[in-house]
Amino acid sequence: MTAEQIAGWDAALTELTGSMGHLFNRTEPRVVFTQFVAGLLAELPRKNGWTLAERAGHVTAEPVNVIKAGSAVYRCAGIV
């Protein structure tokens, strides 16, 4: 694995989450969604609300759990 490959993955992740950002009504869920996806792709021994939240620097798992549960306000019409 090279630094160029890692930079390419980061750019692709930014492009992916950026292209879906318009689905969220607020900035906060958009940011947590990006952190959530990055956490899922990270090499963590366990992937649950707490570990993803800790990796993102959150004090509690609540922001990640809101994304996991689908309670974040988003625009369904934009998904199709």
Side-chain angles (χ1 to χ4, degrees), residues 47-60:
K47 294 180 181 164
N48 57 43
W50 278 108
T51 59
L52 296 174
E54 285 176 349
R55 182 182 184 282
H58 298 289
V59 178
T60 69

Side-chain angles (χ1 to χ4, degrees), residues 5-80:
Q5 288 174 317
I6 293 171
W9 295 337
D10 188 48
L13 177 61
T14 300
E15 182 181 342
L16 169 70
T17 57
S19 70
M20 298 179 74
H22 71 280
L23 299 174
F24 298 96
N25 290 333
R26 296 182 48 138
T27 303
E28 296 86 355
R30 193 175 314 140
V31 170
V32 175
F33 170 72
T34 301
Q35 295 168 339
F36 178 75
V37 173
L40 290 176
L41 296 173
E43 292 186 24
L44 296 173
R46 296 187 65 189
K47 294 180 181 164
N48 57 43
W50 278 108
T51 59
L52 296 174
E54 285 176 349
R55 182 182 184 282
H58 298 289
V59 178
T60 69
E62 185 62 25
V64 172
N65 289 337
V66 167
I67 296 296
K68 283 180 12 185
S71 352
V73 177
Y74 56 90
R75 297 183 184 103
C76 295
I79 296 174
V80 186

